[in-house]
Amino acid sequence: MATQPMNGSTGTGNQAAFMPTDPAQSQSLELVPKIHRALDVIYNPHSLNAERKDAQSFLETLKDSAIAPAHGFYLATDKAQSPIVRHYALSLLEHAIKHKWTSYDVPETEALRNWVLRLSRDVTKGDPTYLRNKIAQLWVEIAKRSWGTDWMDMDALLVQLWQVPDSAVHKELVLAILESLSDDIFNGDDVVVQVREKILSKASVEIFTPAAVLLEAFPNREAGPDVRCGEEGWLTRIVDLLRHCLSRDLQNNEDLRSCAIRGASVLATLIPWVIPKSVARTGAAPVICEGLRASHIEVQKASLEALHALYSRNSFDEEEFLELVVPLYDAQYVALFRELFEWSVVDSENLDDDKYQLSKRLSELLSFLGNHLERRFSSLPRDRSRADLMGLLQLLLLVTRSESLVVSIPVLVTWTRLLGHQSLGPNIADTPAVIGPLLEICSARLVRYESLPEETDDATLRLLIEDTDTIPERHAFLGNYRRYSSQVIELIVALKVSEAMSHILGQTEHVLTHLYDHNPPFDMANYSKVSQPVLQVDARATVIEAALKGYNKSRTAPGSDVRKEFGALEASLQAWCNRLLEMKFEDPLIRRRVLQLLVAFSTSVLDRDVSFMLRVLEHILVTWPAPHPGHKLYTDAVKDLQGESMVELQRLATKMPDHLLEVYDQIASKINEMVASGTLDERRQITYRTFLFTIIHRSHLLDRTTKVQKLEAFLDPVKSQWQDVRLKQSLSSHATFCELMALDKAQEYISRKRMHQIEDWGAIELDEEGRALQVELEARQDHLPLRLTKSFLTCSVDKVEKTEQAFEVSSVLWRDYFPIILPELLNFLSHAHASHSPSNWTVLPPEMKCLVGRILTDRFWQAGISEGSKDDFYARVLEKKHTFEGLASTIRGSIRFIRESCYAIIYCMTRLDMQFYGFGELPGPLSHALLAEASGLSAHQLINLLNLVRHLVDNCPIPLRAHFLPPILQACFRQMDSRVNGEWTKLNQQQVIDSAGDDLTEEMKTESILRQLTYTSVMLVADFLDPARKNEMAPPPQPDGLTIHSTSKEDRDGSGQNYPSLRNFCLMHSSIAEPLLVFCTHVIRMRDSRCCAIMLRILKTIVPEFGGAAPDLPGSSGTVTAGEGERHGSWVPAGTCVAIREYISTEVLRACIASLHEPYFVDLQKDLASLVATIVVNYSHISPAARDLLVSLPGMRAADVDRGIDFMRRSGSRAQRSVMLELLRDLKGVSISEMGKMNKSVGFAASQTPSKKTTRSAMAQKFMTAPDSANRDSLGAGTGAAERTTPDVVDGLANLFEI
């Protein structure tokens, strides 16, 4: 190929295209003082804003001059100029290339290219790195616009630069060009690249890959553009350079070191996309591994990044596995990794950040190698000398043992894969040197580090604090670590059940018998919920719970023929549990954990041992420690134990009803005796009744009729309570409701005490009347039918499948009770919601109604926001029990009890299908009770309400959706939009005013809860509009006298295809779609990047459904079908379809553009542009609205918009997004962190100190997030349905307590 000589003529051959040489040079010299002055003003921290603005304006205006490129070239080549001036000069060339390239003719583009070639040739070691990088970027910008078409000899020119004798600086320049070019073509969003993507990507593959590999991999490959120079390709050249550098004295030669670092960095960019065979043929992996032996840590880090990029690829076929992965299992490389890891271990008190980051990255690399072993274990060569598997396992064990949990966790996850492998797992289990220490490590790591004081000598906790930004993040990470540790223990026990169980139980018994050997003796007066004994017992109990899962997995494994072994082991387990029963503990939380263990054994591995189960039952019934009011924290722990006793009692009844039925009469007699003694409070009595109810309900030994008869005896007293005329009268108005709950007395007391004049309620003790009022408020709750109804209903539906007899029994049992309960239940709920409105507190004088909000505002402890620990918070709450603040807590607790009991009862009712949804008149009153008065609820209270709405929708029979859901969804979306959008508006206004101290803490709490509410609302919408959600109609057995009126074959077959999906259902009803889309639009403007991103994805799936018969869009991923043969057009009326399309084309588009303009949303600009592009592409052929809105934007030219639309219609989604970002480039906001900084075109960007989050790898960041599977819904416990609630439930609501 003919190449252009890189000599002096390249710099002057075509400059006349811009202007004559001498005048240009002369004018450039005249401009130098002005440029100097302007740059001095910008860099001077003492400059006035007006001066800085004028200087910036001058420098930016100069870029638009026709002769700016010539000025830039001559100033940039003048080595006498300061680096700052030369950098600005290069920015003049950059501006011309980026923004004026298409307006230049051929001589002008050649002149620009020649200038850049001249600058590239003339680089010297004395040039600052940022100038050399800028020149490399200019080269790349030209390449993106002309390489492969007008510029065919680029590769040859790069080779010429590469071959400049004894010039490391030219090699570094070439490497910078190659790295940037590769990254922009394969990872970037530059619209220029998108337009020429096929040419550029094909040319890149051509010049980087060895010709022999291309021919072997693609023998029938079409000939691409003739852009190649040489057969070896750049991958070979770079590997050879790296090999050369590593074989020399890196430590004392800066040029070698810089080339090695840059070369490894380029490989890290190339390796994710190059053909794996080319990596193997060039010998890249062994060479890069040699970089780990280098005596300079930066070289080691760059080499490690390249290896990380290679082995993070998870699609190696068998041949690639043998060529690339297996060699690293060789003993020499296993030893190398071990040496490097041991060298990188850091001291938590004197942290070496470079070593620590290397240690983390090395752990991830080793986890990749372990994962490849698990995937391709069967492909390992038979010559075992080629793979030092024992050494590799020992190395993985060493990394797992690291004091840093962040270093340890990637390999911990790999252990779960290795141990779970059908062939590899048993082999590892038969290796005592590995399996024993691994069990010890995972057992020791189950301690709750988040409960340890931050001022600790524990190196693990100190490193974890260093690695996490917030307490919620730390909690989420520890939750993940415990989950994987438990999985490893479970797998080990499943593989070595007898040895592992014996070891675990022996260690636990030793811990329990020596709890206080190295700790102060138990002292009720100095009680702590996070004492060392409590944490030790909790950790050991968690180990046993994981072990029991492994035991059950092994016992139920197919083909298990070890019945004798399990029989002997169960005898051993029973003996151990009997010894545990005999142990005496004074700490209530230790007793609580022991009780959980005993029930776990009884309901799993010892489920056939009736006598042991009865001993556990007796232990629960007779073990009831007395509280000690003088020791508040201890008393609170006793209450925890009491509550857990009730839960475990119910667990026994659910898991072992048939065994309990055999001794039912004796149990009932004992319970009746205890009730008759008068020593049981109302809640404990209800628990015992529920226990007996559950035994009968879940037993398989009774027929349906007998069950119903026996269970009706439990419900008849409840029925009488609901039918009580006095209750109906008390619920006839809000005033009588207040009398029922003693809220009228509370208002009178508050009024007399003039509480609105008291600033600190916690400082004023209650008098005898106030204390008596507290007692009465709590007692009134016990006389209501709510608690008992909720308990019996929960037992009737909790973890009951619709195919089970228990479900049929529940349906028959409650059929006649729902009509009696529902009217009064809705009245209860309406009054509870109405109590949040000050206007309904009629006893209070007008000047005191402002107190209502304060009284009903829950006190919170939130991790990372509230001062002090959770225990400190509880202690403060308990201390103020008998103050005005305590009285307010009792009042709101009374209202909360009504509200949440109603929610729980309604949820349970929805589980019984037609028994609830079959009431034709119910939707209106239910919607009114739920949402009419909900505006007064706080943000976190509204979260619970929205979760209930989600269950109402999820559980609604598909044929009844049209009748039941519209009034509820319409009101829900309006309420959601009003509250969430209103709260964000209010918060944004408040943040304009500076806050301090307690005000700032309260503001942070408010914002945290608002973000949780926003997320819950957004996920509700995502759930309802999920295009993958199908109609599933699996009708349960119909109770007597109930039928679903349907004659369609689809209904009879249990298929829901005869009905619109929930997504279509919401959008086909204009009364639902209108508030729904308004809320979606408002979310785009809310300053919550997570929720905004989710909503953008939701809307992107909706847009194509209303695009009509759009032309085919090559490669577009924007169109998402709702199901087989199902589009919105088949369900949505034409008028509604048009209205939705026009709304999206205007309001949604306007919201996207507004957010794109704001600095807060800078990280979402790609998502915003993607949605805008999807709207424009799908609608512009039908309606001009979207196109007209774009044209109306400031500085937007109609011709540019039309060209962009035309290109987007012929392009894929990535190119569409790039075009839209380019069109809107002048409207895009700047990151807040970049505000106030010098424009990058004026100088070089200032360095930033990265946050912990920005320095994390993607894998590490994933471990800092709570998994969705950990989410739980307060209403739907035990539903068996997928719970879609905010992931902040772990780091937010689970750490948030309302008092």
Side-chain angles (χ1 to χ4, degrees):
M1 178 192 299
T3 60
Q4 183 175 348
M6 293 197 65
N7 51 37
S9 66
T10 61
T12 58
N14 292 310
Q15 72 274 20
F18 290 97
M19 68 176 301
T21 305
D22 292 339
Q25 195 165 5
S26 175
Q27 290 188 26
S28 294
L29 294 175
E30 293 174 4
L31 282 171
V32 170
K34 296 180 181 179
I35 293 173
H36 268 296
R37 285 195 296 271
L39 290 172
D40 286 342
V41 168
I42 289 174
Y43 275 100
N44 189 342
H46 303 293
S47 298
L48 298 176
N49 286 337
E51 294 174 341
R52 186 176 286 110
K53 186 176 181 181
D54 290 341
Q56 179 76 43
S57 177
F58 164 72
L59 294 175
E60 292 296 324
T61 303
L62 187 58
K63 293 179 183 179
D64 293 323
S65 168
I67 59 174
H71 290 318
F73 172 69
Y74 287 114
L75 290 174
T77 55
D78 185 359
K79 302 282 185 175
Q81 299 297 331
S82 70
I84 293 175
V85 172
R86 293 176 64 198
H87 189 276
Y88 171 72
L90 292 174
S91 75
L92 295 178
L93 287 170
E94 181 184 37
H95 183 83
I97 296 168
K98 281 188 171 182
H99 302 294
K100 297 184 178 182
W101 184 267
T102 56
S103 66
Y104 292 146
D105 56 23
V106 172
E108 289 171 325
T109 57
E110 286 183 355
L112 282 171
R113 184 163 63 238
N114 289 336
W115 287 341
V116 172
L117 296 179
R118 166 74 178 275
L119 291 166
S120 301
R121 188 204 68 178
D122 292 345
V123 295
T124 65
K125 189 174 181 180
D127 292 329
T129 303
Y130 60 85
L131 282 184
R132 286 182 267 152
N133 288 341
K134 191 73 169 179
I135 292 170
Q137 190 58 43
L138 293 180
W139 184 301
V140 172
E141 292 299 332
I142 291 177
K144 290 190 294 190
R145 289 161 173 80
S146 61
W147 181 39
T149 51
D150 303 327
W151 190 12
M152 303 300 292
D153 63 344
M154 184 193 80
D155 195 38
L157 295 172
L158 286 173
V159 172
Q160 286 185 34
L161 286 175
W162 186 261
Q163 294 173 345
V164 173
D166 300 322
S167 177
V169 71
H170 284 93
K171 285 185 171 57
E172 286 188 55
L173 178 69
V174 172
L175 290 171
I177 292 170
L178 295 174
E179 182 177 5
S180 182
L181 190 63
S182 167
D183 195 49
D184 283 359
I185 292 173
F186 292 98
N187 301 317
D189 285 289
D190 191 334
V191 66
V192 176
V193 174
Q194 296 304 316
V195 171
R196 307 183 67 243
E197 191 269 336
K198 289 184 179 179
I199 295 173
L200 293 174
S201 60
K202 199 165 187 178
S204 296
V205 172
E206 185 72 41
I207 70 168
F208 280 104
T209 313
V213 173
L214 275 178
L215 184 62
E216 181 181 347
F218 307 105
N220 301 318
R221 180 173 178 263
E222 291 183 15
D226 186 15
V227 295
R228 186 187 194 96
C229 177
E231 296 294 306
E232 65 270 40
W234 281 106
L235 186 60
T236 301
R237 295 187 188 104
I238 296 168
V239 171
D240 288 344
L241 173 67
L242 185 58
R243 182 185 292 111
H244 170 78
C245 294
L246 293 173
S247 65
R248 300 295 189 272
D249 184 11
L250 279 174
Q251 185 66 26
N252 299 310
N253 190 317
E254 184 181 351
D255 288 343
L256 289 173
R257 191 165 62 245
S258 297
C259 285
I261 293 171
R262 178 68 83 170
S265 298
V266 178
L267 290 177
T269 305
L270 301 179
I271 281 174
W273 62 264
V274 297
I275 303 170
K277 189 181 294 293
S278 65
V279 180
R281 295 299 169 83
T282 57
V287 173
I288 300 171
C289 283
E290 289 304 307
L292 301 181
R293 301 185 193 274
S295 55
H296 195 280
I297 193 168
E298 292 302 325
V299 178
Q300 292 175 310
K301 287 166 64 177
S303 301
L304 187 57
E305 285 300 318
L307 289 173
H308 190 283
L310 174 59
Y311 294 103
S312 62
R313 297 176 66 158
N314 54 19
S315 57
F316 292 140
D317 59 27
E318 183 173 341
E319 181 182 358
E320 293 163 352
F321 171 74
L322 292 173
E323 290 182 334
L324 293 173
V325 181
V326 171
L328 264 66
Y329 296 151
D330 187 88
Q332 64 168 325
Y333 292 117
V334 172
L336 169 62
F337 295 143
R338 186 181 189 95
E339 291 170 11
L340 183 61
F341 182 77
E342 291 174 341
W343 172 82
S344 68
V345 172
V346 295
D347 181 355
S348 62
E349 295 182 349
N350 186 22
L351 197 64
D352 184 327
D353 192 59
D354 281 335
K355 281 189 175 183
Y356 193 34
Q357 295 303 323
L358 187 143
S359 186
K360 293 176 184 177
R361 210 61 169 161
L362 179 56
S363 171
E364 293 183 7
L365 172 62
L366 294 173
S367 76
F368 295 148
L369 294 177
N371 294 342
H372 285 302
L373 176 64
E374 183 268 339
R375 289 191 193 99
R376 294 284 177 181
F377 180 66
S378 60
S379 301
L380 276 178
R382 294 185 178 181
D383 181 4
R384 294 304 182 187
S385 64
R386 292 177 58 187
D388 181 13
L389 294 187
M390 186 61 190
L392 178 64
L393 294 177
Q394 292 284 9
L395 175 57
L396 295 178
L397 188 64
L398 175 66
V399 177
T400 311
R401 192 181 281 118
S402 170
E403 288 183 334
S404 169
L405 299 184
V406 175
V407 171
S408 170
I409 194 170
V411 174
L412 183 65
V413 177
T414 297
W415 280 117
T416 65
R417 299 185 61 164
L418 296 176
L419 292 169
H421 191 274
Q422 186 175 5
S423 302
L424 193 53
N427 287 331
I428 297 174
D430 289 333
T431 310
V434 172
I435 206 71
L438 182 60
L439 179 59
E440 287 298 309
I441 295 167
C442 292
S443 299
R445 292 281 168 83
L446 286 177
V447 67
R448 295 191 176 274
Y449 288 98
E450 62 268 44
S451 297
L452 298 176
E454 291 195 8
E455 300 76 19
T456 179
D457 294 331
D458 189 290
T460 296
L461 182 56
R462 281 204 303 266
L463 289 171
L464 183 61
I465 293 171
E466 173 66 27
D467 285 323
T468 50
D469 287 315
T470 64
I471 293 178
E473 191 174 65
R474 193 182 310 157
H475 287 189
F477 173 82
L478 288 170
N480 286 324
Y481 198 96
R482 277 194 293 270
R483 181 161 55 92
Y484 292 122
S485 295
S486 295
Q487 286 179 20
V488 171
I489 295 170
E490 177 184 340
L491 288 165
I492 291 174
V493 172
L495 292 166
K496 305 293 288 183
V497 59
S498 181
E499 299 94 324
M501 285 298 296
S502 298
H503 177 76
I504 289 170
L505 295 181
Q507 277 200 333
T508 302
E509 188 168 5
H510 177 79
V511 169
L512 292 176
T513 53
H514 297 85
L515 266 181
Y516 294 95
D517 285 4
H518 305 289
N519 295 293
F522 179 78
D523 182 5
M524 196 181 299
N526 298 311
Y527 185 74
S528 171
K529 289 186 175 183
V530 290
S531 65
Q532 278 299 316
V534 169
L535 295 179
Q536 281 182 281
V537 172
D538 176 73
R540 295 309 307 178
T542 307
V543 172
I544 292 177
E545 287 165 348
L548 289 178
K549 291 181 181 179
Y551 182 100
N552 285 325
K553 184 180 293 186
S554 178
R555 186 171 66 166
T556 58
S560 177
D561 57 354
V562 287
R563 186 178 304 276
K564 183 179 296 185
E565 178 187 357
F566 278 104
L569 185 55
E570 285 179 12
S572 173
L573 295 179
Q574 183 182 19
W576 188 88
C577 289
N578 287 332
R579 292 196 298 274
L580 182 61
L581 268 171
E582 300 300 324
M583 292 184 184
K584 305 299 181 185
F585 303 100
E586 296 179 87
D587 193 308
L589 293 188
I590 293 177
R591 296 170 70 177
R592 176 177 180 265
R593 210 66 180 91
V594 168
L595 175 61
Q596 290 172 332
L597 279 183
L598 290 170
V599 174
F601 273 101
S602 179
T603 57
S604 57
V605 298
L606 299 179
D607 55 353
R608 293 188 290 269
D609 190 336
V610 180
S611 62
F612 176 71
M613 181 270 295
L614 292 177
R615 288 194 64 192
V616 174
L617 173 61
E618 182 182 15
H619 177 78
I620 296 174
L621 292 177
V622 302
T623 304
W624 200 261
H628 290 258
H631 304 294
K632 294 180 179 178
L633 283 177
Y634 174 82
T635 298
D636 194 48
V638 168
K639 291 181 179 178
D640 287 344
L641 170 60
Q642 294 173 345
E644 186 61 32
S645 296
M646 298 176 185
V647 171
E648 297 304 324
L649 193 65
Q650 194 63 24
R651 193 187 314 278
L652 277 177
T654 303
K655 296 283 188 178
M656 310 184 70
D658 293 338
H659 291 324
L660 290 169
L661 187 65
E662 294 174 1
V663 289
Y664 180 86
D665 292 338
Q666 296 94 306
I667 297 173
S669 175
K670 177 66 176 178
I671 288 177
N672 291 332
E673 180 185 330
M674 295 169 68
V675 171
S677 69
T679 59
L680 304 184
D681 60 27
E682 179 69 18
R683 295 185 184 185
R684 197 173 172 193
Q685 291 183 39
I686 290 176
T687 299
Y688 291 156
R689 292 180 197 170
T690 306
F691 173 65
L692 297 174
F693 181 96
T694 305
I695 294 172
I696 296 173
H697 182 263
R698 300 300 172 92
S699 174
H700 301 90
L701 304 178
L702 299 174
D703 61 73
R704 190 186 79 174
T705 303
T706 304
K707 280 188 180 182
V708 171
Q709 290 175 349
K710 288 181 176 291
L711 294 175
E712 282 178 343
F714 289 91
L715 296 186
D716 284 340
V718 184
K719 177 181 178 181
S720 300
Q721 282 185 285
W722 284 106
Q723 291 178 318
D724 193 327
V725 176
R726 291 170 295 179
L727 179 66
K728 296 178 182 292
Q729 291 174 345
S730 297
L731 297 175
S732 60
S733 68
H734 190 266
T736 53
F737 167 78
C738 289
E739 293 174 6
L740 174 68
M741 302 303 299
L743 293 175
D744 57 331
K745 295 182 179 180
Q747 293 180 62
E748 292 172 359
Y749 183 83
I750 291 169
S751 179
R752 288 201 311 275
K753 298 299 180 180
R754 312 297 293 171
M755 283 178 61
H756 66 297
Q757 297 176 351
I758 301 172
E759 183 67 25
D760 185 1
W761 287 354
I764 308 298
E765 290 287 329
L766 290 173
D767 54 19
E768 288 301 319
E769 181 186 1
R771 294 194 177 205
L773 176 60
Q774 273 188 314
V775 172
E776 184 175 2
L777 284 166
E778 293 172 348
R780 292 292 182 97
Q781 301 173 28
D782 295 335
H783 297 108
L784 302 177
L786 291 172
R787 185 174 285 122
L788 196 54
T789 303
K790 181 181 73 171
S791 297
F792 286 148
L793 256 177
T794 301
C795 294
S796 301
V797 300
D798 184 30
K799 298 178 183 176
V800 176
E801 298 296 330
K802 294 182 179 180
T803 55
E804 296 177 5
Q805 186 205 45
F807 181 87
E808 186 179 354
V809 169
S810 297
S811 296
V812 174
L813 179 65
W814 288 97
R815 179 175 55 195
D816 296 330
Y817 291 87
F818 280 10
I820 298 170
I821 296 172
L822 271 169
E824 312 312 325
L825 182 71
L826 297 185
N827 284 332
F828 265 122
L829 183 55
S830 295
H831 295 320
H833 282 181
S835 298
H836 288 266
S837 173
S839 62
N840 290 318
W841 289 56
T842 55
V843 179
L844 288 181
E847 69 273 12
M848 296 185 67
K849 290 186 183 293
C850 61
L851 286 179
V852 174
R854 184 178 174 186
I855 292 171
L856 298 182
T857 299
D858 294 303
R859 290 176 289 177
F860 295 109
W861 180 85
Q862 283 184 277
I865 297 177
S866 300
E867 294 182 3
S869 66
K870 184 167 59 179
D871 284 343
D872 295 335
F873 169 76
Y874 270 126
R876 290 194 300 270
V877 168
L878 292 172
E879 287 173 3
K880 297 179 180 180
K881 167 71 175 175
H882 299 300
T883 64
F884 281 171
E885 181 57 53
L887 175 62
S889 178
T890 304
I891 293 171
R892 61 177 167 264
S894 181
I895 296 172
R896 184 170 59 241
F897 166 75
I898 301 292
R899 185 182 65 246
E900 296 188 354
S901 294
C902 291
Y903 290 171
I905 291 172
I906 292 173
Y907 163 73
C908 290
M909 288 180 167
T910 67
R911 296 290 314 283
L912 293 178
D913 286 346
M914 293 299 297
Q915 302 293 6
F916 176 76
Y917 292 99
F919 293 104
E921 297 78 18
L922 181 59
L926 177 61
S927 173
H928 184 272
L930 285 172
L931 298 156
E933 297 277 1
S935 58
L937 297 178
S938 67
H940 76 277
Q941 291 162 355
L942 196 57
I943 290 174
N944 286 336
L945 177 57
L946 292 180
N947 284 329
L948 174 60
V949 171
R950 175 165 57 82
H951 289 298
L952 277 167
V953 174
D954 287 346
N955 294 333
C956 181
I958 294 172
L960 296 182
R961 279 178 181 168
H963 171 71
F964 200 91
L965 296 184
I968 295 174
L969 290 179
Q970 177 184 356
C972 175
F973 291 140
R974 291 192 188 281
Q975 185 68 247
M976 227 162 61
D977 181 57
S978 173
R979 284 302 307 281
V980 177
N981 190 45
E983 292 292 334
W984 275 108
T985 302
K986 188 189 305 181
L987 180 66
N988 292 337
Q989 292 171 349
Q990 289 175 348
Q991 289 178 340
V992 175
I993 305 171
D994 290 337
S995 301
D998 292 339
D999 290 338
L1000 180 59
T1001 300
E1002 289 304 315
E1003 184 180 306
M1004 291 170 65
K1005 290 180 183 178
T1006 300
E1007 181 173 347
S1008 176
I1009 297 299
L1010 176 56
R1011 290 186 185 278
Q1012 293 177 42
L1013 171 62
T1014 307
Y1015 185 84
T1016 300
S1017 304
V1018 167
M1019 292 309 294
L1020 184 77
V1021 173
D1023 188 11
F1024 293 170
L1025 298 183
D1026 182 1
R1029 178 169 177 162
K1030 307 298 181 184
N1031 287 343
E1032 295 181 1
M1033 292 178 56
Q1038 295 300 313
D1040 296 341
L1042 284 176
T1043 58
I1044 297 178
H1045 299 288
S1046 175
T1047 58
S1048 71
K1049 180 181 182 298
E1050 288 84 353
D1051 291 354
R1052 293 194 305 271
D1053 293 344
S1055 169
Q1057 296 304 311
N1058 199 43
Y1059 298 92
S1061 65
L1062 182 58
R1063 168 187 171 98
N1064 286 346
F1065 177 83
C1066 292
L1067 293 169
M1068 65 187 284
H1069 290 84
S1070 58
S1071 61
I1072 299 173
E1074 178 188 347
L1076 170 60
L1077 290 175
V1078 169
F1079 172 72
C1080 293
T1081 307
H1082 286 156
V1083 171
I1084 298 175
R1085 301 290 296 122
M1086 293 173 189
R1087 295 191 172 188
D1088 187 314
S1089 55
R1090 176 179 60 170
C1091 293
C1092 182
I1094 295 170
M1095 188 56 71
L1096 292 172
R1097 291 196 292 272
I1098 294 170
L1099 288 169
K1100 192 177 177 185
T1101 68
I1102 290 176
V1103 168
E1105 302 294 341
F1106 298 96
D1112 292 336
L1113 306 176
S1116 173
S1117 61
T1119 302
V1120 179
T1121 59
E1124 272 188 45
E1126 181 185 281
R1127 287 179 62 89
H1128 284 310
S1130 63
W1131 296 102
V1132 183
T1136 304
C1137 199
V1138 171
I1140 290 175
R1141 185 166 57 240
E1142 291 303 304
Y1143 181 84
I1144 292 175
S1145 298
T1146 53
E1147 300 306 317
V1148 173
L1149 192 61
R1150 189 174 286 114
C1152 288
I1153 293 171
S1155 290
L1156 198 68
H1157 182 63
E1158 281 193 31
Y1160 178 86
F1161 298 94
V1162 67
D1163 292 335
L1164 293 174
Q1165 286 179 354
K1166 289 183 180 180
D1167 297 313
L1168 289 162
S1170 184
L1171 177 57
V1172 172
T1174 303
I1175 294 171
V1176 172
V1177 168
N1178 282 275
Y1179 294 167
S1180 58
H1181 68 287
I1182 302 174
S1183 167
R1187 182 257 183 199
D1188 292 347
L1189 194 152
L1190 289 176
V1191 171
S1192 69
L1193 296 174
M1196 191 70 73
R1197 296 187 302 177
D1200 292 341
V1201 173
D1202 291 335
R1203 278 198 302 271
I1205 292 174
D1206 181 62
F1207 177 79
M1208 287 190 292
R1209 285 178 177 170
R1210 295 180 282 106
S1211 306
S1213 58
R1214 183 180 168 195
Q1216 292 170 6
R1217 180 181 66 196
S1218 298
V1219 170
M1220 193 53 62
L1221 284 170
E1222 179 67 18
L1223 279 174
L1224 301 173
R1225 67 180 182 272
D1226 294 331
L1227 294 174
K1228 290 191 296 183
V1230 179
S1231 169
I1232 294 173
S1233 63
E1234 295 292 330
M1235 286 186 166
K1237 288 186 180 178
M1238 179 178 54
N1239 190 306
K1240 289 184 181 179
S1241 65
V1242 174
F1244 48 93
S1247 62
Q1248 287 181 265
T1249 301
S1251 69
K1252 296 170 189 174
K1253 185 172 291 187
T1254 57
T1255 59
R1256 287 187 198 134
S1257 66
M1259 181 187 290
Q1261 184 58 38
K1262 179 182 176 182
F1263 291 133
M1264 296 291 170
T1265 306
D1268 290 340
S1269 60
N1271 302 337
R1272 292 295 180 265
D1273 186 326
S1274 59
L1275 283 166
T1279 64
E1283 301 299 342
R1284 300 177 181 89
T1285 184
T1286 170
D1288 278 350
V1289 75
V1290 173
D1291 54 339
L1293 290 179
N1295 294 319
L1296 177 154
F1297 300 85
E1298 49 186 80
I1299 300 294

